[in-house]
Amino acid sequence: MERDCNPGLAGAGGALPCSRFHVRLVDERTASGVPQGDQPPEYAVSSFGGEDGVNRLHHFEYRGAGGGGGGFQGRDSLRPDSIFHSYDTNSYLKPFGHNTVDRVPRIDFYRNTSSFSGVKINRPSLADLHEDLKRDILSVPGTVDGVANGDGALSDEAERKPPENKDEKLVRFGWIKGVLVRCMLNIWGVMLFIRLSWIVGQAGIGLGVIVICLSTVVTVLTGISMSAICTNGVVRGGGAYYLISRSLGPEFGGSIGLIFSFANAVAVAMYVVGFAETVVDILKENNALMIDPISDIRIVGCITVVALLGITVAGMEWETKAQVILLIILLIGIANYFIGTVIPSSTEKKGKGFFNYHANIFAENFGPSFRDGEGFFSVFAIFFPAATGILAGANISGDLKDPQVAIPKGTMLAIFITTITYVTVAICLGATVVRDATGSVNDTITSTNCNGSAACMLGYDFSACNTHPCKFGLMNNFQVMSMVSGFGPLITAGIFSATLSSALASLVSAPKIFQALCKDNIYKGLYFFGKGYGKNSEPIRSYILTFFIAVAFILIAELNTIAPVISNFFLASYALINFSCFHASYSKTPEVNWGSSAQAMSYVTALQDALSLTGVNDHIKNFRPQCIVLTGSPMSRPALLDLTLSFTKNFSLCICSQVFMGPRKRTVSEINMNMDKYQQWLAKNRKKAFYAAVAGDNLRDGVKCLLQASGLGRMKPNTLVIGYKRDWRTTNSQDVENYVGILHDAFDFEYGLIILRISQGLDVSRILQIQEELQRKEQEKLALEAAMRDEQEDGKRGIRSLKFLNKAVKYSTNSALAMNAQQDYKISTSHAADFNQRLLDASTQFQKNQGKGTIDVWWLFDDGGLTILIPYLLTTRKKWCGCKLRIFIGGKLDSIDEEKRAMAALLGKFRIQCADIKVIGDINMKPSKESWKIFEDLIEPYQLHERSKDPATAEILQKEYPWKITDAELERFKDKTYRQVRLNELLQENSRAANMIVVSLPIARKEAVSSYLYMAWLEILSRNLPPVIMIRGNQKNVLTFYS
């Protein structure tokens, strides 16, 4: 048996503290878990140390007689109640079968704290994965999974407690009830029934249809822009205000929020006045006016808005039920109108100007006949409020189940249906009703003379309307649709439905928008109106404010006066929504003009912009991979630079970095000499990157300086890009320690890390040296030839000037030296042609179009999203757009379909498209004998083998070779080692034909994993593969589906 050591219980009673060099005493008998020959040893999930080499959980196992497998196992392990909380061991300790602190990707890591759709949980922090834990996490009550969560947050299961009060369930609406119904009711408003006939009379059928189509163009463009913005992240309450403020910022959002909420409040008055006009017309027909038409409109309007306020205060659920009922009535009313147009007209209706469908009427009404100072734009201003209903659904975005889907789907469908309805009704009105009619059945033609009007041709003489005002016809009667319909009261019901539903929608929208504006506290004095009441946070105070604004405009009692005011407000809102979308897309590729004629101004502008950025709060949606690229000189590792520029060019910061090592005086001189040279090379070769160089005693110290001091304000790097060290097996141990130390430093400074490996290598500096030598010799050869020609010509003329003698001395003009130079040139050319042509080809492979292929992303652990973001950014670039993403994730064999659906849902939330998602359920199988033998041969020269020696000798060897891999270290991290070997087998099996492989970078714990063991992991993981990018984020979100 062996004496156990526990790295997680250092110093605890009864347990031996251990380090990487701890020697374990082993007896001669065979124990499970020890390799036998070439066979990889068996290992259990609860084996020593787990994958991260830390005993995070002790299982108290009860075994029956004979040590059978009964009793408590795995999740059923006994746990002291005083220490353990209820949690999901499979979720937190076994992402896909192994004990590890690392977490697999899941949607809950990306939620906001106040998310309604799920509970946010925390992934392990970078320190949890990177630091060598020396504490006993079980000694702190209530923090069993504190390491997994990274900040001591509650476990997933603990966080997902059901709400204590089931009555507090929020009311959420789908795209039909919440958006489609609401938009259609708002668009089919007062204009459809009591102003469309007047618009056709004034503008004619032709211009009337143009007015409708022009309004539709505005609303379609706005709908598309709104859809683009709201599908770019989770939309909260506040509708158009929320979209604009989150896209353009609070300055635009605040101003347009006030305008838009005020416009909706005025719209309430417009719709209520339309309703009151119809009621007053009915009272007038029955001689039941209370005072006079204007006063009656005010009285009816005020009573109506009080009733509507009561419905809205009762809650959104009641308001939505009322909307559905009103829609049914409205549809019946519209159908009733179309039926009425085909029912033969009665004598009474003919006297009022309705003659069914006639080509003469259509032709007469096709052109415009503007009167009373009206024109095209005034008619458009009166009609346009009918189109403003497109935002009725977006305005209650906070009450929708899925605003990202509901708003685009419901809004665009509502625009299509209502536009068809308006155009059809306008054409039908223009083809069946004349512009002017007296209303008298006796005004028939009494002579053969006819004034040429359509009514005259149909036997009616309405010429009296030319001298006296008439009450009927398109121009004079706002209740034409009621007169045309098959059953007039149904149209009246439709008018009531359309006006009341639109008023109701606006009465809900205005307070919701105003509440969102007030909650953002942009205007301090308005915060009072942002308070919400009840389970849906109803803005009662904003309702009351909207009520008083509506009453003030109802007292105007003139629909044609109120409508143009609303048009101006809504057109301004729509213009800003469209500008928001344009600005959001255009600002993705900002350009600064650094023209020489305005360098001073450009410098000042850039400086001011950089300073203004310091006042902008960081947000996940603004994350960009801003990279320090360890290229050395920019031309030394072109593949590394080209790949980085593939996802940073015109998008984010890229700094080519070089460390000069040696005496300070010489290195500073080299830095100053090369700074302009390399920056100009980048500009000449159209590499959108900066060049930075530092002096250091060694590579690691120089990179530390770069990691801490690079960047300016918010334009500060957050990702380190480095090439894979191919020569780690042949270089000295200090170089390997420095290289791995750089990776540790990157994690310490919370950088994301990207390592690129190409089988041919990255460094082409040797080839560049040869090319420079060839160019120098070519120049010498040309100079020698020119000097010889000049000397020969001057010799013929008998001239021996000092100038040419100096040239002869300088360039060694004797023929023997010239022959030697030419011979050297030929030899060098031959040598360069044979020098690693594959390396030259590989160094430029990312400059070429990648064609059709795949980028295989092995997203094994959730690092905040950098592992999936980088390949996605690649696919958005021209050279990589033909490549499709294939996602590989780890999973369990019994839940492959479930995990595949979960990953598809997560990618859908991020709007990342992929060709395929594959769940690998056999990651935890033992690697093959051949693969394991390759790994053993790989690390053999770097192993200490202290167990095969006596303790004294082992201690001496440890002091002499502190960088070697100990047997204790291999045992402690055997699970993680097995995984790297197994992963390479799976990569060989699934991704050999990929254009690029992106895989989660394993993290080595500081002071626990030796540099050579870590390099062996990276070597075995990425060997014999296409270009491999190993990525690990800093465990903070770089992707979100929230706005």
Side-chain angles (χ1 to χ4, degrees):
M1 298 294 291
E2 63 184 23
R3 296 179 60 191
D4 199 358
C5 75
N6 191 343
L9 298 172
L16 295 176
C18 67
S19 68
R20 199 167 63 80
F21 303 110
H22 182 76
V23 180
R24 307 175 79 184
L25 302 180
V26 186
D27 68 10
E28 300 300 323
R29 292 173 294 178
T30 302
S32 62
V34 180
Q36 302 295 322
D38 293 333
Q39 176 70 20
E42 297 280 353
Y43 55 96
V45 170
S46 57
S47 61
F48 171 77
E51 187 177 288
D52 288 312
V54 178
N55 268 342
R56 305 206 173 272
L57 179 64
H58 291 287
H59 291 288
F60 301 91
E61 299 184 353
Y62 170 79
R63 299 184 182 275
F72 296 93
Q73 301 280 346
R75 288 187 63 182
D76 298 324
S77 300
L78 292 171
R79 295 183 291 273
D81 292 336
S82 61
I83 296 178
F84 289 93
H85 287 288
S86 175
Y87 66 103
D88 184 356
T89 306
N90 284 330
S91 173
Y92 277 95
L93 293 183
K94 303 177 185 177
F96 33 83
H98 268 315
N99 289 350
T100 174
V101 180
D102 237 334
R103 303 270 57 82
V104 295
R106 59 183 298 182
I107 194 170
D108 296 323
F109 292 139
Y110 299 90
R111 297 193 189 282
N112 279 354
T113 305
S114 58
S115 172
F116 291 115
S117 54
V119 179
K120 174 181 173 57
I121 62 174
N122 297 316
R123 69 176 63 82
S125 69
L126 198 54
D128 294 330
L129 301 172
H130 188 218
E131 300 290 340
D132 186 23
L133 300 182
K134 300 294 185 184
R135 66 184 184 274
D136 179 11
I137 64 171
L138 300 184
S139 64
V140 183
T143 58
V144 173
D145 53 342
V147 175
N149 282 341
D151 60 356
L154 292 174
S155 65
D156 188 17
E157 185 175 316
E159 283 189 350
R160 290 185 175 276
K161 291 181 179 179
E164 294 181 2
N165 188 357
K166 294 183 179 179
D167 294 334
E168 290 297 315
K169 185 178 180 181
L170 298 174
V171 179
R172 300 289 180 212
F173 307 113
W175 71 274
I176 296 178
K177 275 189 178 182
V179 181
L180 179 65
V181 170
R182 193 174 297 273
C183 286
M184 284 175 26
L185 281 171
N186 224 16
I187 296 172
W188 283 335
V190 63
M191 297 301 168
L192 176 64
F193 289 102
I194 62 178
R195 282 299 182 274
L196 187 57
S197 57
W198 177 85
I199 288 167
V200 172
Q202 291 277 357
I205 297 173
L207 286 182
V209 170
I210 291 176
V211 166
I212 296 170
C213 292
L214 184 60
S215 301
T216 301
V217 169
V218 175
T219 56
V220 167
L221 290 176
T222 306
I224 292 172
S225 297
M226 185 173 60
S227 300
I229 296 172
C230 74
T231 56
N232 199 36
V234 172
V235 179
R236 296 183 183 272
Y241 160 72
Y242 186 88
L243 298 179
I244 296 171
S245 63
R246 277 16 176 213
S247 179
L248 291 185
E251 297 84 1
F252 281 96
S255 58
I256 203 61
L258 280 177
I259 294 173
F260 196 66
S261 55
F262 181 75
N264 274 279
V266 177
V268 175
M270 183 188 74
Y271 296 125
V272 170
V273 167
F275 168 79
E277 274 190 9
T278 304
V279 174
V280 169
D281 284 342
I282 295 173
L283 294 176
K284 191 186 298 183
E285 289 177 5
N286 294 278
N287 296 319
L289 287 175
M290 292 175 281
I291 304 175
D292 58 72
I294 295 297
S295 299
D296 285 7
I297 288 175
R298 292 168 179 162
I299 294 170
V300 173
C302 290
I303 295 172
T304 303
V305 78
V306 169
L308 294 176
L309 180 65
I311 295 175
T312 54
V313 170
M316 287 292 298
E317 194 169 4
W318 285 97
E319 186 265 348
T320 303
K321 290 177 180 177
Q323 294 276 27
V324 174
I325 296 171
L326 292 174
L327 176 64
I328 294 171
I329 297 172
L330 183 59
L331 290 173
I332 293 173
I334 294 173
N336 178 50
Y337 162 74
F338 285 116
I339 293 171
T341 61
V342 297
I343 295 175
S345 177
S346 64
T347 303
E348 182 183 358
K349 287 185 178 181
K350 287 180 180 180
K352 294 180 179 181
F354 172 59
F355 294 95
N356 295 112
Y357 293 99
H358 283 281
N360 292 334
I361 298 177
F362 181 88
E364 183 179 80
N365 290 339
F366 189 81
S369 179
F370 295 114
R371 302 180 192 174
D372 303 324
E374 301 291 350
F376 177 81
F377 288 104
S378 65
V379 170
F380 174 80
I382 292 173
F383 174 78
F384 186 74
T388 59
I390 63 166
L391 294 181
N395 289 339
I396 62 160
S397 55
D399 297 299
L400 300 175
K401 291 178 182 176
D402 189 355
Q404 289 177 283
V405 175
I407 293 175
K409 193 174 181 181
T411 302
M412 299 310 291
L413 185 57
I415 291 173
F416 175 77
I417 294 172
T418 54
T419 300
I420 296 297
T421 304
Y422 268 108
V423 171
T424 307
V425 171
I427 293 173
C428 291
L429 284 170
T432 59
V433 184
V434 297
R435 280 192 168 99
D436 297 289
T438 60
S440 172
V441 297
N442 298 321
D443 287 338
T444 55
I445 298 297
T446 57
S447 64
T448 57
N449 295 328
C450 189
N451 58 15
S453 67
C456 182
M457 295 179 184
L458 295 171
Y460 279 80
D461 181 12
F462 297 142
S463 58
C465 295
N466 296 330
T467 56
H468 298 89
C470 294
K471 296 182 179 181
F472 297 95
L474 294 175
M475 301 290 282
N476 311 301
N477 182 15
F478 292 146
Q479 303 295 330
V480 167
M481 287 188 67
S482 180
M483 182 263 293
V484 171
S485 65
F487 182 62
L490 282 179
I491 291 296
T492 303
I495 294 173
F496 290 171
S497 173
T499 52
L500 292 178
S501 63
S502 298
L504 203 54
S506 296
L507 189 56
V508 169
S509 299
K512 291 283 185 181
I513 298 168
F514 197 62
Q515 181 187 37
L517 173 65
C518 295
K519 281 186 174 181
D520 281 349
N521 207 19
I522 296 173
Y523 303 104
K524 306 294 183 184
L526 299 178
Y527 189 76
F528 171 81
F529 295 100
K531 182 175 176 59
Y533 296 86
K535 59 187 177 182
N536 269 33
S537 187
E538 297 292 347
I540 304 297
R541 295 174 180 177
S542 295
Y543 281 139
I544 295 172
L545 177 63
T546 303
F547 167 78
F548 283 111
I549 294 173
V551 168
F553 278 86
I554 287 171
L555 296 179
I556 296 175
E558 275 291 337
L559 190 62
N560 287 9
T561 302
I562 299 172
V565 176
I566 298 173
S567 294
N568 290 327
F569 286 142
F570 277 113
L571 282 170
S573 302
Y574 292 171
L576 272 180
I577 290 176
N578 287 302
F579 179 73
S580 299
C581 186
F582 165 76
H583 185 272
S585 59
Y586 180 78
S587 62
K588 299 299 182 184
T589 55
E591 294 181 2
V592 179
N593 180 13
W594 291 93
S596 59
S597 63
Q599 285 183 354
M601 188 62 191
S602 296
Y603 175 82
V604 172
T605 301
L607 180 62
Q608 290 174 344
D609 288 344
L611 288 172
S612 66
L613 276 177
T614 60
V616 178
N617 293 328
D618 285 331
H619 193 281
I620 300 170
K621 287 185 76 71
N622 297 328
F623 176 85
R624 297 162 188 261
Q626 306 192 102
C627 300
I628 293 177
V629 192
L630 297 184
T631 57
S633 65
M635 61 280 288
S636 295
R637 293 170 177 81
L640 190 64
L641 178 57
D642 290 336
L643 179 69
T644 307
L645 289 175
S646 294
F647 57 82
T648 62
K649 185 177 179 181
N650 294 331
F651 179 79
S652 58
L653 181 67
C654 178
I655 302 177
C656 295
S657 304
Q658 185 172 11
V659 178
F660 288 89
M661 294 168 285
R664 185 60 49 87
K665 186 174 182 180
R666 176 173 62 82
T667 54
V668 171
S669 175
E670 288 178 343
I671 290 173
N672 293 334
M673 181 177 62
N674 290 316
M675 186 67 69
D676 288 340
K677 171 187 172 183
Y678 289 146
Q679 190 63 60
Q680 290 174 7
W681 182 90
L682 289 168
K684 181 180 178 181
N685 289 273
R686 298 181 180 179
K687 309 289 186 183
K688 299 293 182 69
F690 296 98
Y691 173 75
V694 294
D697 295 332
N698 55 57
L699 180 63
R700 184 177 183 182
D701 288 343
V703 175
K704 276 185 182 178
C705 295
L706 289 168
L707 293 174
Q708 296 177 80
S710 296
L712 182 67
R714 293 292 183 189
M715 294 185 295
K716 185 174 179 62
N718 51 37
T719 305
L720 176 65
V721 182
I722 188 171
Y724 178 71
K725 189 171 182 62
R726 293 178 72 241
D727 63 348
W728 67 275
R729 284 176 287 178
T730 56
T731 190
N732 63 71
S733 61
Q734 189 57 48
D735 286 346
V736 177
E737 293 285 343
N738 283 339
Y739 179 83
V740 176
I742 289 170
L743 308 186
H744 287 307
D745 293 337
F747 288 137
D748 285 343
F749 293 120
E750 295 191 339
Y751 273 65
L753 186 57
I754 299 175
I755 302 177
L756 172 64
R757 180 176 186 180
I758 298 176
S759 58
Q760 294 82 8
L762 296 168
D763 190 359
V764 297
S765 56
R766 175 60 182 156
I767 297 178
L768 294 176
Q769 290 175 3
I770 292 176
Q771 289 177 341
E772 290 176 0
E773 183 68 17
L774 291 175
Q775 291 174 357
R776 185 181 64 81
K777 289 188 178 293
E778 177 68 14
Q779 291 172 354
E780 287 182 359
K781 175 189 174 184
L782 295 175
L784 286 170
E785 293 175 350
M788 290 173 66
R789 284 195 303 271
D790 291 344
E791 184 180 8
Q792 290 171 0
E793 291 176 1
D794 292 341
K796 291 178 181 178
R797 297 194 297 266
I799 300 174
R800 281 288 185 269
S801 68
L802 180 61
K803 176 180 177 181
F804 290 111
L805 287 174
N806 288 338
K807 186 179 291 187
V809 172
K810 181 178 180 181
Y811 294 114
S812 302
T813 55
N814 62 77
S815 59
L817 288 177
M819 292 295 293
N820 288 337
Q822 292 177 5
Q823 184 177 4
D824 289 342
Y825 174 75
K826 291 178 181 178
I827 293 172
S828 298
T829 304
S830 175
H831 176 70
D834 297 335
F835 183 81
N836 204 346
Q837 185 62 39
R838 289 189 303 163
L839 176 56
L840 281 174
D841 294 339
S843 68
T844 60
Q845 63 178 303
F846 299 131
Q847 298 174 9
K848 305 170 185 175
N849 192 302
Q850 301 300 305
K852 293 189 180 296
T854 64
I855 299 177
D856 286 2
V857 183
W858 292 70
W859 194 13
L860 303 177
F861 301 109
D862 198 310
D863 59 349
L866 188 66
T867 304
I868 192 68
L869 176 63
I870 296 300
Y872 167 71
L873 292 176
L874 286 177
T875 61
T876 63
R877 298 310 174 104
K878 185 177 180 180
K879 290 184 176 66
W880 292 88
C881 62
C883 295
K884 305 297 183 183
L885 293 182
R886 293 197 306 168
I887 311 299
F888 295 81
I889 58 174
K892 302 176 185 177
L893 291 172
D894 58 352
S895 61
I896 285 179
D897 290 340
E898 179 183 348
E899 290 171 5
K900 185 173 182 178
R901 286 193 297 271
M903 176 55 64
L906 178 60
L907 295 177
K909 286 279 188 181
F910 292 146
R911 301 176 70 192
I912 294 177
Q913 296 181 352
C914 63
D916 188 24
I917 298 174
K918 186 171 183 181
V919 180
I920 307 296
D922 55 352
I923 288 181
N924 300 313
M925 290 179 60
K926 294 184 297 184
S928 66
K929 294 180 180 179
E930 294 77 11
S931 299
W932 185 248
K933 183 66 167 60
I934 291 172
F935 181 78
E936 287 183 326
D937 293 341
L938 181 68
I939 63 172
E940 175 60 32
Y942 316 107
Q943 285 188 264
L944 194 63
H945 293 300
E946 78 277 12
R947 287 184 180 174
S948 62
K949 302 172 179 63
D950 61 86
T953 304
E955 188 174 353
I956 294 172
L957 288 174
Q958 290 167 7
K959 292 180 180 179
E960 186 176 356
Y961 304 103
W963 46 268
K964 284 201 170 185
I965 305 169
T966 66
D967 294 338
E969 179 186 5
L970 278 177
E971 174 67 14
R972 183 181 180 189
F973 293 101
K974 61 183 178 181
D975 288 358
K976 206 162 190 174
T977 303
Y978 293 151
R979 172 165 295 164
Q980 312 315 317
V981 180
R982 175 60 182 155
L983 276 175
N984 181 260
E985 293 179 346
L986 293 170
L987 287 166
Q988 299 279 358
E989 178 183 339
N990 293 278
S991 299
R992 283 284 294 178
N995 294 48
M996 172 76 72
I997 297 174
V998 178
V999 63
S1000 294
L1001 174 71
I1003 293 183
R1005 292 192 177 278
K1006 287 194 304 181
E1007 302 176 3
V1009 178
S1010 65
S1011 298
Y1012 276 92
L1013 178 58
Y1014 187 55
M1015 291 305 301
W1017 286 352
L1018 301 186
E1019 176 71 29
I1020 199 67
L1021 174 64
S1022 58
R1023 64 185 291 272
N1024 295 337
L1025 291 169
V1028 177
I1029 308 177
M1030 293 171 277
I1031 301 178
R1032 176 65 73 147
N1034 63 359
Q1035 301 299 114
K1036 296 179 181 178
N1037 285 354
V1038 302
L1039 291 171
T1040 182
F1041 41 83
Y1042 294 97
S1043 297

